[in-house]
Amino acid sequence: AIDTVKSSAATWTEPAQSTTAAATASVDAAASSATDFMENANAAETAAASEAEASALSIGDYITAGKTRSQIQGYGGYTDIGGTILTIESITDQTITFSIVQYSDSGYAADTVSAKQITAQWVKNTAAFEFCDDTLDGKGYGTLSYENGTIHIETRSNTNHPTKLVLNEDLVGT
């Protein structure tokens, strides 16, 4: 009788262990799946934040789209030289401070025109501004807008003291 009970108990215990192992594996898989889901959700959130940061306007240089800094400045034997380098010096929720240097397609330093430390009201990724150019004492006004990683800048000349810093171009970050 004792042998029968042992035998019966062994048979009954073994399926219980299999069921427990299967249930544990099932719980582990569900936990792993939930962990993967949370990790994927966190990764997507981090990627979205990184993309927003990458597309946000930041302090630094923005240059004529499609050109290198050396090409704009006339170094290295390029044939299509000249362009603009805009340097953003500070940004707040309400203002932006920047400088503009326009390099001539002649390649001569004397033909380079610049306006330094322009401060403008920054509203919804757009700024309207006035400036005096450093090299020729000309005056002008313009707009700067930012969208999808590109700055578009347009400047016009003041009729009383005209500037040679007249732009209508797209600039990209370096």
Side-chain angles (χ1 to χ4, degrees), residues 57-134:
L57 184 64
S58 60
I59 292 173
D61 291 342
Y62 292 79
I63 65 174
T64 300
K67 292 190 174 187
T68 64
R69 180 185 302 276
S70 295
Q71 184 177 6
I72 291 169
Q73 294 174 330
Y75 301 124
Y78 290 100
T79 55
D80 182 23
I81 61 173
T84 303
I85 298 177
L86 180 137
T87 302
I88 297 179
E89 296 152 0
S90 71
I91 305 169
T92 68
D93 290 342
Q94 299 173 348
T95 62
I96 182 170
T97 302
F98 58 96
S99 296
I100 308 166
V101 180
Q102 182 182 30
Y103 293 87
S104 171
D105 57 4
S106 72
Y108 298 120
D111 293 336
T112 298
V113 185
S114 63
K116 303 287 183 177
Q117 295 185 335
I118 302 166
T119 298
Q121 190 90 26
W122 187 241
V123 180
K124 294 184 181 180
N125 289 340
T126 303
F129 58 91
E130 293 182 353
F131 65 92
C132 293
D133 63 52
D134 291 345

Side-chain angles (χ1 to χ4, degrees), residues 43-61:
E45 188 176 304
T46 302
S50 296
E51 186 176 318
E53 286 176 18
S55 67
L57 184 64
S58 60
I59 292 173
D61 291 342

